[in-house]
Structures are given as structure tokens and as C-alpha cells.
Amino acid sequence: MYGTKSKIDLAFEYQTQAAILRPSIHSRRANLTVKFQDLYGFTVEGNVDDVNVLNEVREKVRQQGRVWWALEASKGANWYLHTTIGQGSALTSSLKFSALANAITLKKLIRKGIPPVLRPKVWFSLSGAAKKKSTVPESYYDDLTKAVEGKVTPATRQIDHDLPRTFPGHPWLDTPEGHAALRRVLVAYSFRDSDVGYCQGLNYVAALLLLVMKTEEDAFWMLAVLLENVLVNDCYTNNLSGCHVEQRVFKDLLAKKCQRIATHLEALEFDVSLVTTEWFLCLFSKSLPSETTLRVWDVIFYEGAKVIFNVALAIFKMKEDELLVTHHVGEIINVLQITTHQLFDPDDLLTVAFDKIGSMTTNTISKQRKKQEPEVMKELDQRIRRLNSLKMEGK
Amino acid sequence: MAATAGHNNLNAKLVLLGDMGAGKSSLVLRFVKGQFLEFQESTIGAAFFSQTLAVNDATVKFEIWDTAGQERYHSLAPMYYRGAAAAIIVYDITNADSFTRAKKWVQELQKQGNPNMVVALAGNKADLEDKRKVTAEEARVYAEENGLFFMETSAKTAANVNDVFYEIAKRLPRAQPAQKPAGMVLVDRPAEGSRAASCCS
Ligand SMILES: Nc1nc2c(ncn2[C@@H]2O[C@H](COP(=O)(O)OP(=O)(O)OP(=O)(O)O)[C@@H](O)[C@H]2O)c(=O)[nH]1
Ligand SMILES: [Mg+2]
């Protein structure tokens, strides 16, 4: 599909895939599982209803595109790039007002979704990637990839091992061209930040970034801004301490915001991190359908990592009734897995995430993280000491 | 202890540990679905599967945690092996480092794991004889010294895969009244057919 093209042209994909999505006559029988390709070329399994939902999503995406174009027409191209408020006193109050109004419009608009054709441009500027890139020489990425070409490190070995294991079967990612692009992005990043090097999970994140951003270089900068500015520190470094912190913060939030579920799961001795760790490390890319994942990312890149908590809580919240009648680990996991895999309509999830969870500010989350950090560090430290004492005894 | 009996049904939590790419997910997929994928997605965090086996007089329902192998994921492992009745430590016979890694897991479980845990050592990718780096003899000696049972397996050809799980099922301590069912609950409904597994990845 994408194989022979040097750039991933998604606008083109939309037209060609419409035919694939029309369920065949045989699959119209109820509950028959069909395989189909979603908006970003992933093969998904679902029943005919799912196919219909996906077609509706496609239509909503088109409508949302029209909304964005209309705004460009009335407010000027790239209007959303100038919404940062409170900068400089030189702004007249009327200009300040219009910036504020734009910021409010933009927040709502982004929660409703960025049209896939605009995603590369909007993500790149709003996430801070453009700014990050502008602080280094134009040739930074090219120089970096050239400089590290042919170098072998533990990270490059692990990357090579994971290339064919990253979304195998995807029509572009799983081609020599896709592998090569993903390899360059991951290898370049492993040299940019040797504390991170390569962490499994980043392969899925970078792969989706490539599909969205279309150029490797932009995908690289999105990965950089994500790890360096958007997500909690040390999410992917040596002992994943940042990820441990997020898990503790999440458990507290679940207890607060979904008390009944938290109590029930605790009674079953089910630690929610068993499933949520993957959500946090892969940013849902391994669990939610691609367009739903990217709708979540739309908001993450604008509002920050707190969004991951909203979405994770929403997944539990949506299935409260079902979760409360589980009495077994396997059942809990089945409920969560089936739910995430079938969330083809992003609005089903995002409505709950933003309207039913109650507001959480980045500030509250930061405070919670600060509170959990010492505990996590202590625990990880004790663990390392225990393991070291094992080593001593072993000798 | 960690396996709990209800009538003739036993529920047992089982965890797979081992180096990245050793074939943990492939072994589970072979056991649970009878499939093999040339390129198996790398596991992040862990994946859960369940599968029921009939052994002699009882059925054993395994709740399987297939963990991520990369070194830095090590810090998540206790969450998965806590309360486990059994563990399969997997290494790749074509990769000596993965055997070293396996030994570290053995040590850790001996110290931190449930003392009655049934531990198996699986030398996987046995179909790749020409690339072998770890001899079966070396591994067998090590396993004997450490009270593990050992098998070479191939998720690709299916050789010995079911056998590892059967052997574990047979060795699980039973008939002891469960003192503290850690993370386990009794099942009182009939177990699903032995091939009807629910799987999650
Ligand atoms: N020839 C051969 N290849 C195997 C065998 N088992 C697994 N593989 C291959 O080895 C690679 C890694 O297998 P996985 O099952 O994903 O390994 P893993 O231990 O789960 O790896 P992580 O999830 O990264 O920890 C895959 O490409 C498999 O197809 C085997 O018995 N023989
Ligand atoms: Mg795996």
C-alpha cells in the first residue's frame, strides 16, 4: 500500500480504503467477524457493527475537517499557532481578548479531534516540537543520523531485534522502507539521550508518529518533545522510575474518582498496574484502535500528560457495571481488553474522559507525582540492594 | 499454597520470565492457541492468558502472565510473580547471554518468590540446532543443582511446549488446604474445555 511511495500519503489512503470498508454480503450476518483496515492501515477484527462505526467515524473526521477549514478561512491560516496568552504587555487588550477566545476555541476543537491531514502541522507547532527543532542547526537530524550510521550499541541491537516485531503486517511499517525509517528515528534518539537509549515500547510510539508525521525528521522531533517535555521524567530510563510514579498516582486517582471499582478490584487483589503499565508506556497504541489512539494524542500534545490519566480512568469508568460483577483476574482483563480493542468511536471515550471524570489540572498531577517520588525511589533502591546482595551470595 | 483447589479444579498463577526475544510470548501462544508467528510483537509490561489442562484426576486452570523481557522492565517483575504457583524461566539456546539472564531469574525467585513455587527452565528455539550456544548438558546440570525441571522447547515446531505445562500441572502441590490464596480465587463452576482458552495480548 504505502510500500512504493517515499512519503505516506494519507489523503490518498482515505479514498482507496472506502471500498475495503464496505462489508461484503456474506458478513452481513450478525456477529460474523470480519477483518478490515482502519484509517491508518491497521488490520482490525470486528463485527459488522464495528465496520459501520468506523465508517461513521470517517464521516465525522470529514466534518471536523470542514470545521477546521472554515476557521482557517475566517481567522486566517495558522490562527491556532498564535493562541498563547499572557505574553508581553505590548498586546492591546482587544488582541489579548481575541487570543484568549482563540485558546478556548482551540481547546474545544482539539478535544473534538484534529483532522488527520492537519495533524502533522498542528502537532508539530502546538507540542513544542517546532520550537525545539528551531534551537539547533537546520541539519541536526541529518548530521545525527549520518554520524551514528553503522555504529553498534546494545540499544541498536535491541532496536534491530524489535523492528520486525513492531506492528507486524502493517502495509507500510512492515516493509523494508518502514523498518529503515523506524530504525533511523529510534537509533538517532538512542544517541541523543543515552539515559533512555532504547526502551521497548518506544518502537510502537515512534511507529505511530511516523505514520502521522509523514517525515522521519518530524517524527523524531515529536518523539523528542514527548520524552523531554510532555511526559513525566524518567518514564523510559533504566528502571522506569517515572512509570512507577505514574502508576501510583493513577491508583490514587482511581480510588478517588472510581471508588467502587477500586474497592472491588482491591478485594480481588487485582493490581490495576498489571494492565495500565502498558497503556502508559505505549500511550495506548497497543490497546486502542489507531484513530482513537491518535485522538488521545491530539489532546496529550496540547494539554499534556495529565490526559493519559483522564483516558485511563475513563476506560474503567465506562465499564463500571461490568467490572463490579467480575470475580476473577481473567474476567477483569477480558472486560478491559475487549473494551479498549472495540473503542472504534473516539468520542465515546473522550466524552467520558473529559466530561465524567471531573477536572484534573497539570498542577494537581505534578503535586501527586512529587508526593509519590520518594516512595518509588526508596522501593527501587531497596530492590537493587536486595538483588546486589543476591549477587554477592551467588559468588 | 498459591494454587488453590476447588473440587477438582485447580487455579494456578504462572509467570514467564526471561530475556527479551527468548520466546516467552511464542511459547504461550503455542500453548494457548496452537499458533506460531515468525514475528511476534514485543511485549510491553505483560500480557495475560488463560488455559485449562486436564491432568489425571483434576483440571488445572493456568492464569498466565507473559512478561516483558528487556532488562529495565525487571523492576516491574515482582508485581507479576507475586503469589505465583509456578514459573517458566525461558532462555534462547542460540544466545548465551539469555542463559546468564535466566540464572539471575532463578536466583531472584529463590529469594523473593513463593517458596513452594514450581519452577521450570525452558531452553527455547531448540529447532535452531546449528546456531546452538548453550548445550543441553550444561543447562541440565544447572537445573538439577537448583531443583528446577528442565526441558528444551521449540515454540516453532511445538516440541515439548505442552509438555512443560503438563509437567508443571502435575507438580503443583494440591490437596493442601490453601492458607492464603494470594491473588487467587476458587472456581466453583466447571472449567472450560481444555482448548477453549481466553487469550489476551
Ligand atoms: N526458530 C524459532 N524462533 C522462535 C521460537 N520461539 C520464538 N521465536 C522467535 O523469536 C522472536 C521472539 O519471540 P517472542 O516470543 O516475541 O519473545 P519474547 O520472549 O516474548 O520477547 P519480549 O516480549 O521482547 O520479551 C520471534 O520473532 C519469534 O518468532 C522458536 O522456538 N524457534
Ligand atoms: Mg513477549
Side-chain angles (χ1 to χ4, degrees), chain A residues 112-123:
Chain A
K112 284 203 179 135
I114 302 171
V117 267
L118 286 180
R119 247 178 210 141
K121 195 169 82 169
V122 178
W123 279 12

Side-chain angles (χ1 to χ4, degrees), chain A residues 17-37:
Chain A
Q17 277 171 31
I20 303 172
L21 272 166
R22 217 158 285 141
S24 81
I25 197 82
H26 305 291
S27 59
R28 282 178 195 279
R29 281 177 301 173
N31 284 332
L32 207 70
T33 307
V34 284
K35 278 194 179 172
F36 48 92
Q37 250 177 354

Side-chain angles (χ1 to χ4, degrees), chain A residues 42-95:
Chain A
F42 291 93
T43 303
V44 276
E45 266 181 54
N47 58 29
V48 181
D49 286 342
D50 297 329
V51 178
N52 290 334
V53 169
L54 218 70
N55 279 331
E56 282 164 27
V57 169
R58 220 169 269 267
E59 183 48 39
K60 275 201 262 182
V61 166
R62 261 183 234 117
Q63 280 169 17
Q64 184 68 358
R66 286 195 281 274
V67 175
W68 279 75
W69 295 124
L71 280 167
E72 296 239 323
S74 72
K75 290 178 187 280
N78 300 341
W79 64 276
Y80 42 83
L81 308 186
H82 314 294
T83 53
T84 26
I85 32 177
Q87 281 175 348
S89 48
L91 285 175
T92 66
S93 60
S94 77
L95 259 180

Side-chain angles (χ1 to χ4, degrees), chain A residues 158 161-162 164-165 167-168 196 198-201 203-204 236 238-240 244 269 271 273-274 277 281-282 286 327-328 330 333-334 337 380 383 386-387 390 393-394, chain B residues 11 20-21 39-46 48 61 63 65 69-70 72-76 78-82 107-108 111-112 180-183 185 189 198 200-201:
Chain A
Q158 296 184 334
H161 195 267
D162 273 354
R165 306 168 72 212
F167 297 127
V196 172
Y198 172 64
C199 179
Q200 284 192 308
N203 51 330
Y204 299 103
Y236 299 97
N238 68 60
N239 50 20
L240 311 177
H244 285 275
E269 295 190 36
D271 182 339
S273 304
L274 292 169
T277 304
L281 285 170
C282 300
K286 262 173 84 76
H327 39 283
H328 200 268
I333 289 171
N334 265 339
Q337 215 134 46
L380 289 173
R383 198 179 138 66
R386 266 202 314 268
L387 289 176
L390 282 186
E393 281 173 42
Chain B
N11 261 19
M20 108 186 228
F39 296 106
Q40 172 70 42
E41 283 202 359
S42 48
T43 311
I44 309 303
F48 178 85
K61 184 174 179 195
E63 293 166 346
W65 284 104
Q70 200 184 15
R72 64 187 80 185
Y73 281 85
H74 199 134
S75 62
L76 296 169
M79 168 163 84
Y80 298 103
Y81 66 64
R82 191 173 302 138
Q107 276 194 342
E108 182 167 344
K111 287 283 166 174
Q112 316 277 337
K180 187 184 179 293
V185 274
R189 58 205 150 104
S198 60
C200 321
S201 56

Side-chain angles (χ1 to χ4, degrees), chain A residues 161-162 164-165 200, chain B residues 18-27 36-44 66-70 90 92 124-128 153-157:
Chain A
H161 195 267
D162 273 354
R165 306 168 72 212
Q200 284 192 308
Chain B
D19 207 0
M20 108 186 228
K24 300 176 292 299
S25 303
S26 299
L27 285 173
F36 176 77
L37 300 172
E38 205 56 52
F39 296 106
Q40 172 70 42
E41 283 202 359
S42 48
T43 311
I44 309 303
D66 165 27
T67 64
Q70 200 184 15
V90 186
D92 171 354
N124 190 41
K125 308 199 187 180
D127 56 291
L128 300 176
T153 57
S154 167
K156 187 167 183 172
T157 66

